[in-house]
Amino acid sequence: MDMMEYYRFFVDIWKFFRKYYPRIGTEQDYGDCTEELTVLTKRHGESTFVLKISCLVLDEVDRIWKERTNETKL
């Protein structure tokens, strides 16, 4: 990857995070999220770097959703 490819990936992964961060985390949200992330990683070549960062971002979104769910149960 050259610098512009890294830049485009980081912009796309930021837009992805920004889009899914405020959601509640329903099954539909999770399905949409994983489907979109699959498309995003394919668009960026599915390199080890892209896959690792994408997985970390997905884990963080999932953690946030679970945390919010636990807060509403209290």
Coordinates of all heavy atoms in Angstrom, one line a residue:
M1 N 0.9 -1.2 0.0 CA 0.0 0.0 0.0 C 0.9 1.2 0.0 O 1.9 1.3 0.7 CB -0.9 0.0 1.3 CG -2.0 -1.0 1.3 SD -3.0 -1.0 2.8 CE -3.8 0.5 2.8
D2 N 0.5 2.2 -0.8 CA 1.2 3.5 -0.7 C 0.4 4.4 0.2 O -0.6 4.0 0.8 CB 1.4 4.1 -2.1 CG 0.1 4.5 -2.8 OD1 -1.0 4.6 -2.1 OD2 0.1 4.7 -4.0
M3 N 1.0 5.6 0.5 CA 0.4 6.5 1.4 C -1.0 6.9 1.1 O -1.9 7.0 2.0 CB 1.3 7.8 1.6 CG 2.6 7.5 2.3 SD 2.3 7.0 4.0 CE 1.8 8.5 4.7
M4 N -1.4 7.0 -0.1 CA -2.7 7.4 -0.5 C -3.7 6.2 -0.2 O -4.8 6.5 0.2 CB -2.8 7.8 -2.0 CG -2.3 9.2 -2.2 SD -3.1 10.5 -1.2 CE -4.8 10.4 -1.7
E5 N -3.2 5.0 -0.4 CA -4.1 3.9 -0.1 C -4.4 3.8 1.4 O -5.5 3.5 1.8 CB -3.5 2.6 -0.6 CG -3.5 2.5 -2.2 CD -2.7 1.4 -2.7 OE1 -1.6 1.1 -2.2 OE2 -3.1 0.8 -3.7
Y6 N -3.3 4.0 2.2 CA -3.5 4.1 3.7 C -4.5 5.2 4.0 O -5.4 5.0 4.8 CB -2.2 4.3 4.4 CG -1.3 3.1 4.5 CD1 -0.2 3.0 3.8 CD2 -1.7 2.1 5.4 CE1 0.6 1.8 3.9 CE2 -0.9 1.0 5.6 CZ 0.3 0.9 4.8 OH 1.1 -0.3 5.0
Y7 N -4.3 6.3 3.4 CA -5.2 7.4 3.7 C -6.7 7.1 3.4 O -7.6 7.3 4.2 CB -4.8 8.7 2.9 CG -5.7 9.8 3.0 CD1 -5.8 10.6 4.1 CD2 -6.6 10.1 2.0 CE1 -6.6 11.7 4.2 CE2 -7.5 11.1 2.1 CZ -7.5 11.9 3.2 OH -8.4 13.0 3.3
R8 N -6.9 6.5 2.2 CA -8.3 6.2 1.8 C -8.9 5.1 2.7 O -10.0 5.2 3.1 CB -8.3 5.7 0.4 CG -8.2 6.8 -0.7 CD -8.4 6.3 -2.1 NE -7.3 5.5 -2.6 CZ -6.2 6.0 -3.2 NH1 -6.1 7.3 -3.4 NH2 -5.3 5.2 -3.7
F9 N -8.0 4.2 3.2 CA -8.5 3.2 4.1 C -8.9 3.8 5.4 O -10.0 3.5 6.0 CB -7.5 2.1 4.3 CG -7.8 1.1 5.5 CD1 -8.9 0.3 5.4 CD2 -7.1 1.1 6.6 CE1 -9.3 -0.5 6.4 CE2 -7.4 0.3 7.7 CZ -8.5 -0.5 7.6
F10 N -8.0 4.7 6.0 CA -8.3 5.3 7.3 C -9.6 6.2 7.2 O -10.4 6.2 8.1 CB -7.1 6.1 7.8 CG -6.1 5.2 8.4 CD1 -4.8 5.2 7.9 CD2 -6.4 4.4 9.5 CE1 -3.8 4.4 8.5 CE2 -5.4 3.6 10.1 CZ -4.1 3.6 9.6
V11 N -9.8 6.9 6.1 CA -11.0 7.7 5.9 C -12.2 6.8 5.9 O -13.2 7.0 6.5 CB -10.9 8.5 4.6 CG1 -12.2 9.1 4.2 CG2 -9.8 9.6 4.7
D12 N -12.1 5.7 5.1 CA -13.3 4.7 5.0 C -13.6 4.1 6.4 O -14.7 4.0 6.8 CB -13.0 3.7 4.0 CG -13.2 4.2 2.6 OD1 -13.7 5.3 2.4 OD2 -12.8 3.4 1.6
I13 N -12.5 3.7 7.1 CA -12.8 3.0 8.4 C -13.3 4.0 9.4 O -14.1 3.7 10.3 CB -11.5 2.2 8.9 CG1 -11.9 1.1 9.9 CG2 -10.5 3.2 9.5 CD1 -12.5 0.0 9.3
W14 N -12.9 5.3 9.3 CA -13.4 6.3 10.2 C -14.9 6.6 9.9 O -15.7 6.6 10.8 CB -12.6 7.6 10.1 CG -13.3 8.8 10.8 CD1 -13.9 9.8 10.2 CD2 -13.6 8.9 12.2 NE1 -14.5 10.6 11.1 CE2 -14.4 10.1 12.3 CE3 -13.3 8.1 13.3 CZ2 -14.8 10.5 13.6 CZ3 -13.8 8.6 14.5 CH2 -14.5 9.7 14.6
K15 N -15.2 6.7 8.6 CA -16.6 6.8 8.2 C -17.5 5.7 8.7 O -18.6 5.9 9.2 CB -16.8 7.0 6.7 CG -16.3 8.3 6.2 CD -16.4 8.4 4.7 CE -15.8 9.7 4.2 NZ -15.9 9.7 2.7
F16 N -16.9 4.5 8.6 CA -17.6 3.3 9.1 C -17.9 3.4 10.6 O -19.0 3.2 11.1 CB -16.8 2.0 8.8 CG -17.3 0.8 9.4 CD1 -18.2 0.0 8.8 CD2 -16.7 0.4 10.6 CE1 -18.7 -1.2 9.4 CE2 -17.2 -0.8 11.2 CZ -18.2 -1.6 10.6
F17 N -16.8 3.7 11.4 CA -17.0 3.8 12.8 C -18.0 4.9 13.2 O -18.8 4.7 14.0 CB -15.6 4.1 13.4 CG -15.6 4.3 14.9 CD1 -15.7 3.1 15.7 CD2 -15.6 5.5 15.5 CE1 -15.7 3.2 17.1 CE2 -15.7 5.6 16.9 CZ -15.7 4.5 17.7
R18 N -17.9 6.0 12.5 CA -18.8 7.2 12.8 C -20.2 6.8 12.5 O -21.1 7.2 13.2 CB -18.3 8.4 11.9 CG -19.1 9.6 12.3 CD -18.6 10.8 11.4 NE -18.9 10.5 10.0 CZ -18.4 11.1 9.0 NH1 -17.5 12.1 9.2 NH2 -18.7 10.8 7.8
K19 N -20.4 6.0 11.5 CA -21.8 5.6 11.1 C -22.4 4.6 12.1 O -23.6 4.7 12.5 CB -21.7 4.9 9.7 CG -23.1 4.4 9.3 CD -22.9 3.7 7.9 CE -24.2 3.2 7.4 NZ -24.1 2.6 6.0
Y20 N -21.6 3.7 12.6 CA -22.2 2.6 13.5 C -22.0 2.9 15.0 O -22.7 2.3 15.8 CB -21.5 1.3 13.2 CG -22.0 0.7 11.8 CD1 -21.3 0.9 10.7 CD2 -23.3 0.2 11.8 CE1 -21.8 0.5 9.4 CE2 -23.8 -0.3 10.5 CZ -23.1 -0.1 9.4 OH -23.6 -0.6 8.2
Y21 N -21.2 3.8 15.4 CA -21.0 4.2 16.8 C -22.3 4.6 17.5 O -22.6 4.1 18.5 CB -20.0 5.3 16.9 CG -19.8 5.9 18.3 CD1 -19.0 5.3 19.2 CD2 -20.6 7.0 18.7 CE1 -18.9 5.8 20.5 CE2 -20.5 7.5 20.0 CZ -19.6 6.9 20.9 OH -19.5 7.3 22.1
P22 N -23.1 5.5 16.8 CA -24.3 5.9 17.6 C -25.5 4.9 17.6 O -26.5 5.1 18.3 CB -24.8 7.2 16.8 CG -24.2 7.1 15.5 CD -23.0 6.2 15.6
R23 N -25.4 3.8 16.8 CA -26.5 2.9 16.8 C -26.6 2.1 18.1 O -25.7 2.1 18.9 CB -26.3 1.9 15.6 CG -26.4 2.6 14.3 CD -26.5 1.7 13.2 NE -26.6 2.4 11.9 CZ -26.8 1.8 10.8 NH1 -27.1 0.5 10.7 NH2 -26.8 2.4 9.6
I24 N -27.7 1.4 18.2 CA -28.0 0.7 19.5 C -27.3 -0.7 19.5 O -26.9 -1.1 20.6 CB -29.6 0.5 19.6 CG1 -30.2 1.9 19.7 CG2 -29.9 -0.4 20.8 CD1 -31.7 1.8 19.5
G25 N -27.2 -1.3 18.4 CA -26.6 -2.6 18.4 C -27.6 -3.8 18.3 O -27.4 -4.8 18.9
T26 N -28.6 -3.6 17.5 CA -29.6 -4.6 17.3 C -29.0 -5.7 16.4 O -27.9 -5.5 15.8 CB -30.9 -4.1 16.6 OG1 -30.5 -3.5 15.3 CG2 -31.5 -3.0 17.5
E27 N -29.7 -6.8 16.2 CA -29.2 -7.8 15.3 C -29.1 -7.2 13.9 O -28.2 -7.6 13.1 CB -30.2 -9.0 15.3 CG -30.0 -9.9 16.5 CD -30.9 -11.1 16.4 OE1 -31.0 -11.7 15.3 OE2 -31.4 -11.5 17.5
Q28 N -30.1 -6.4 13.5 CA -30.0 -5.7 12.2 C -28.8 -4.8 12.1 O -28.1 -4.9 11.0 CB -31.3 -4.9 11.9 CG -31.3 -4.2 10.6 CD -31.4 -5.2 9.4 OE1 -32.2 -6.2 9.5 NE2 -30.6 -5.0 8.4
D29 N -28.5 -4.1 13.1 CA -27.3 -3.2 13.1 C -26.0 -4.1 12.9 O -25.2 -3.7 12.1 CB -27.1 -2.5 14.4 CG -28.2 -1.3 14.6 OD1 -28.7 -0.8 13.6 OD2 -28.5 -1.0 15.7
Y30 N -26.0 -5.2 13.6 CA -24.8 -6.0 13.5 C -24.7 -6.6 12.1 O -23.6 -6.7 11.6 CB -24.8 -7.1 14.6 CG -23.5 -7.9 14.7 CD1 -22.5 -7.3 15.4 CD2 -23.3 -9.1 14.1 CE1 -21.2 -7.9 15.6 CE2 -22.1 -9.7 14.3 CZ -21.0 -9.1 15.0 OH -19.8 -9.7 15.1
G31 N -25.8 -7.1 11.6 CA -25.7 -7.6 10.2 C -25.3 -6.6 9.2 O -24.4 -6.9 8.3
D32 N -25.9 -5.4 9.3 CA -25.5 -4.3 8.4 C -24.0 -4.0 8.5 O -23.3 -3.7 7.6 CB -26.3 -3.0 8.7 CG -27.8 -3.2 8.3 OD1 -28.1 -4.2 7.6 OD2 -28.5 -2.3 8.8
C33 N -23.6 -3.9 9.8 CA -22.2 -3.6 10.1 C -21.2 -4.6 9.5 O -20.2 -4.2 8.9 CB -22.1 -3.5 11.6 SG -20.5 -3.1 12.3
T34 N -21.4 -5.8 9.7 CA -20.5 -6.8 9.3 C -20.5 -6.9 7.7 O -19.5 -7.1 7.1 CB -20.8 -8.2 9.9 OG1 -22.1 -8.6 9.6 CG2 -20.5 -8.2 11.3
E35 N -21.7 -6.7 7.1 CA -21.8 -6.7 5.7 C -21.0 -5.6 5.1 O -20.2 -5.7 4.1 CB -23.3 -6.7 5.3 CG -23.5 -6.8 3.8 CD -25.0 -6.8 3.4 OE1 -25.7 -7.5 4.1 OE2 -25.3 -6.1 2.5
E36 N -21.2 -4.4 5.6 CA -20.5 -3.2 5.2 C -19.0 -3.3 5.4 O -18.2 -3.0 4.5 CB -21.0 -2.0 5.8 CG -20.4 -0.7 5.2 CD -21.0 0.6 5.8 OE1 -22.2 0.5 6.1 OE2 -20.4 1.6 5.8
L37 N -18.6 -3.9 6.5 CA -17.1 -4.1 6.8 C -16.5 -5.1 5.8 O -15.4 -4.9 5.4 CB -16.9 -4.5 8.2 CG -15.5 -4.3 8.7 CD1 -15.0 -2.9 8.6 CD2 -15.4 -4.8 10.2
T38 N -17.2 -6.1 5.4 CA -16.7 -7.1 4.5 C -16.5 -6.4 3.1 O -15.4 -6.6 2.5 CB -17.7 -8.2 4.3 OG1 -17.9 -8.9 5.5 CG2 -17.3 -9.2 3.2
V39 N -17.4 -5.5 2.7 CA -17.2 -4.8 1.4 C -16.0 -3.9 1.6 O -15.2 -3.8 0.6 CB -18.5 -4.0 1.1 CG1 -18.3 -3.1 -0.1 CG2 -19.6 -5.0 0.8
L40 N -15.9 -3.2 2.7 CA -14.8 -2.2 2.9 C -13.4 -2.9 2.8 O -12.5 -2.5 2.2 CB -15.0 -1.5 4.2 CG -14.1 -0.4 4.6 CD1 -14.8 0.6 5.5 CD2 -12.8 -0.8 5.3
T41 N -13.3 -4.1 3.5 CA -12.0 -4.8 3.5 C -11.7 -5.3 2.1 O -10.5 -5.2 1.7 CB -12.0 -5.9 4.5 OG1 -13.0 -6.9 4.2 CG2 -12.1 -5.4 5.9
K42 N -12.7 -5.8 1.4 CA -12.4 -6.2 0.0 C -12.0 -5.1 -0.9 O -11.1 -5.2 -1.7 CB -13.7 -6.9 -0.6 CG -13.9 -8.3 0.0 CD -15.1 -9.0 -0.6 CE -15.3 -10.3 0.1 NZ -16.4 -11.0 -0.4
R43 N -12.6 -3.9 -0.7 CA -12.3 -2.7 -1.5 C -10.8 -2.3 -1.3 O -10.1 -1.8 -2.1 CB -13.2 -1.6 -1.1 CG -12.9 -0.3 -1.9 CD -13.8 0.9 -1.6 NE -15.2 0.5 -1.1 CZ -15.7 0.9 0.0 NH1 -15.0 1.7 0.8 NH2 -16.9 0.5 0.4
H44 N -10.3 -2.6 -0.1 CA -8.9 -2.2 0.3 C -7.9 -3.3 0.2 O -6.8 -3.2 0.8 CB -8.9 -1.5 1.7 CG -9.6 -0.2 1.6 ND1 -9.0 1.0 1.1 CD2 -10.9 0.2 2.0 CE1 -9.8 2.0 1.2 NE2 -11.0 1.6 1.7
G45 N -8.3 -4.4 -0.4 CA -7.4 -5.5 -0.7 C -7.2 -6.6 0.3 O -6.4 -7.5 0.1
E46 N -7.9 -6.5 1.4 CA -7.8 -7.6 2.4 C -6.4 -7.9 2.8 O -6.1 -9.1 3.1 CB -8.6 -8.8 1.9 CG -10.0 -8.6 1.6 CD -10.8 -9.9 1.2 OE1 -10.4 -10.4 0.1 OE2 -11.6 -10.3 2.0
S47 N -5.6 -6.9 2.9 CA -4.2 -7.2 3.4 C -4.3 -7.5 4.9 O -5.3 -7.2 5.6 CB -3.3 -6.0 3.2 OG -3.8 -4.9 4.0
T48 N -3.3 -8.0 5.5 CA -3.2 -8.3 6.9 C -3.5 -7.0 7.7 O -4.3 -7.1 8.7 CB -1.8 -8.9 7.3 OG1 -1.6 -10.1 6.5 CG2 -1.8 -9.2 8.8
F49 N -2.9 -5.9 7.3 CA -3.1 -4.7 8.0 C -4.6 -4.3 8.0 O -5.2 -3.9 9.1 CB -2.3 -3.6 7.4 CG -2.5 -2.2 8.0 CD1 -1.9 -1.9 9.2 CD2 -3.3 -1.3 7.4 CE1 -2.2 -0.6 9.8 CE2 -3.5 0.0 7.9 CZ -2.9 0.3 9.2
V50 N -5.2 -4.3 6.8 CA -6.6 -3.9 6.7 C -7.5 -4.8 7.5 O -8.4 -4.3 8.2 CB -7.0 -3.9 5.2 CG1 -8.5 -3.8 5.0 CG2 -6.3 -2.8 4.4
L51 N -7.3 -6.1 7.5 CA -8.1 -7.0 8.2 C -7.9 -6.8 9.7 O -8.9 -6.9 10.5 CB -7.8 -8.5 7.8 CG -8.1 -8.8 6.4 CD1 -7.6 -10.2 6.1 CD2 -9.6 -8.8 6.2
K52 N -6.7 -6.6 10.2 CA -6.5 -6.4 11.6 C -7.2 -5.2 12.1 O -7.9 -5.2 13.2 CB -5.0 -6.4 12.0 CG -4.4 -7.7 12.0 CD -2.9 -7.6 12.3 CE -2.2 -9.0 12.4 NZ -0.8 -8.9 12.8
I53 N -7.0 -4.0 11.4 CA -7.6 -2.8 11.9 C -9.1 -2.9 11.8 O -9.8 -2.4 12.7 CB -7.1 -1.6 11.0 CG1 -5.6 -1.4 11.2 CG2 -7.9 -0.3 11.3 CD1 -5.1 -1.0 12.6
S54 N -9.6 -3.5 10.8 CA -11.1 -3.7 10.6 C -11.6 -4.5 11.7 O -12.7 -4.1 12.3 CB -11.4 -4.3 9.3 OG -11.0 -3.5 8.2
C55 N -11.0 -5.6 12.1 CA -11.4 -6.4 13.2 C -11.4 -5.6 14.5 O -12.3 -5.7 15.4 CB -10.6 -7.7 13.3 SG -11.0 -8.9 12.1
L56 N -10.4 -4.8 14.8 CA -10.3 -4.0 16.0 C -11.4 -3.0 16.0 O -12.0 -2.8 17.1 CB -8.9 -3.3 16.1 CG -7.7 -4.2 16.4 CD1 -6.4 -3.4 16.2 CD2 -7.8 -4.8 17.8
V57 N -11.7 -2.4 14.9 CA -12.8 -1.4 14.9 C -14.1 -2.1 15.1 O -15.0 -1.6 15.9 CB -12.8 -0.6 13.6 CG1 -14.0 0.3 13.4 CG2 -11.5 0.3 13.5
L58 N -14.4 -3.2 14.5 CA -15.6 -4.0 14.7 C -15.7 -4.4 16.2 O -16.8 -4.3 16.8 CB -15.6 -5.2 13.8 CG -16.9 -6.1 14.0 CD1 -18.1 -5.3 13.7 CD2 -16.7 -7.3 13.1
D59 N -14.6 -4.9 16.8 CA -14.6 -5.2 18.2 C -15.0 -4.0 19.1 O -15.7 -4.2 20.1 CB -13.3 -5.8 18.7 CG -13.0 -7.2 18.1 OD1 -14.0 -7.8 17.6 OD2 -11.9 -7.6 18.2
E60 N -14.5 -2.9 18.8 CA -14.8 -1.7 19.5 C -16.2 -1.2 19.4 O -16.9 -0.9 20.4 CB -13.8 -0.5 19.1 CG -14.0 0.8 19.9 CD -13.7 0.6 21.4 OE1 -13.2 -0.4 21.8 OE2 -14.0 1.6 22.1
V61 N -16.8 -1.3 18.2 CA -18.2 -1.0 18.0 C -19.0 -1.9 18.8 O -20.0 -1.5 19.5 CB -18.5 -1.0 16.5 CG1 -20.0 -1.0 16.3 CG2 -17.9 0.2 15.8
D62 N -18.7 -3.2 18.7 CA -19.5 -4.2 19.5 C -19.4 -4.0 21.0 O -20.3 -4.1 21.7 CB -18.9 -5.6 19.1 CG -19.8 -6.7 19.7 OD1 -21.0 -6.7 19.6 OD2 -19.2 -7.6 20.3
R63 N -18.2 -3.6 21.5 CA -18.0 -3.4 22.9 C -18.8 -2.2 23.3 O -19.5 -2.2 24.4 CB -16.5 -3.1 23.2 CG -16.2 -2.9 24.7 CD -14.9 -2.2 24.9 NE -14.8 -0.9 24.4 CZ -15.3 0.2 25.0 NH1 -16.0 0.1 26.1 NH2 -15.2 1.4 24.5
I64 N -18.9 -1.2 22.5 CA -19.7 0.0 22.8 C -21.1 -0.3 22.9 O -21.9 0.1 23.8 CB -19.4 1.2 21.8 CG1 -18.0 1.7 22.0 CG2 -20.4 2.3 21.9 CD1 -17.4 2.5 20.8
W65 N -21.6 -1.1 21.9 CA -23.0 -1.5 21.9 C -23.4 -2.3 23.1 O -24.4 -2.1 23.8 CB -23.3 -2.3 20.6 CG -23.3 -1.5 19.4 CD1 -23.3 -0.1 19.2 CD2 -23.4 -2.0 18.1 NE1 -23.3 0.2 17.9 CE2 -23.4 -0.9 17.2 CE3 -23.4 -3.3 17.5 CZ2 -23.4 -1.1 15.8 CZ3 -23.4 -3.5 16.2 CH2 -23.4 -2.4 15.3
K66 N -22.5 -3.2 23.5 CA -22.8 -4.0 24.7 C -22.8 -3.2 26.0 O -23.6 -3.4 26.9 CB -21.8 -5.2 24.8 CG -22.0 -6.3 23.8 CD -20.9 -7.3 23.9 CE -21.2 -8.4 22.8 NZ -20.1 -9.4 22.7
E67 N -21.8 -2.3 26.0 CA -21.8 -1.4 27.2 C -23.0 -0.6 27.3 O -23.6 -0.4 28.4 CB -20.5 -0.5 27.0 CG -20.3 0.4 28.2 CD -19.0 1.2 28.1 OE1 -17.9 0.6 28.3 OE2 -19.1 2.4 27.7
R68 N -23.5 0.0 26.2 CA -24.8 0.8 26.3 C -25.9 -0.1 26.7 O -26.8 0.3 27.4 CB -25.0 1.4 24.9 CG -24.2 2.5 24.6 CD -24.6 3.2 23.3 NE -23.6 4.1 22.9 CZ -23.3 4.3 21.6 NH1 -23.9 3.6 20.7 NH2 -22.4 5.2 21.3
T69 N -26.0 -1.3 26.2 CA -27.1 -2.3 26.5 C -27.1 -2.5 28.0 O -28.1 -2.5 28.7 CB -26.9 -3.6 25.8 OG1 -27.0 -3.3 24.4 CG2 -28.1 -4.5 26.1
N70 N -25.9 -2.7 28.6 CA -25.8 -2.9 30.1 C -26.2 -1.7 30.9 O -26.8 -1.9 31.9 CB -24.4 -3.4 30.4 CG -24.0 -4.8 29.9 OD1 -24.9 -5.6 29.7 ND2 -22.8 -5.1 29.7
E71 N -25.9 -0.5 30.4 CA -26.2 0.7 31.0 C -27.7 0.9 31.1 O -28.3 1.3 32.1 CB -25.6 1.9 30.4 CG -24.1 2.0 30.6 CD -23.5 3.2 29.8 OE1 -24.2 3.9 29.1 OE2 -22.3 3.3 29.9
T72 N -28.4 0.5 30.0 CA -29.9 0.7 30.0 C -30.6 -0.3 30.9 O -31.7 -0.1 31.3 CB -30.4 0.6 28.5 OG1 -30.1 -0.7 28.0 CG2 -29.9 1.7 27.7
K73 N -29.9 -1.5 31.2 CA -30.5 -2.5 32.0 C -30.5 -2.1 33.5 O -31.2 -2.6 34.3 CB -29.9 -3.8 31.8 CG -30.2 -4.4 30.5 CD -29.5 -5.8 30.3 CE -29.8 -6.4 29.0 NZ -29.0 -7.6 28.8
L74 N -29.6 -1.2 33.9 CA -29.4 -0.8 35.3 C -30.5 0.0 35.8 O -31.3 0.6 35.4 CB -28.1 -0.1 35.5 CG -26.8 -0.9 35.2 CD1 -25.6 -0.1 35.4 CD2 -26.8 -2.1 36.1

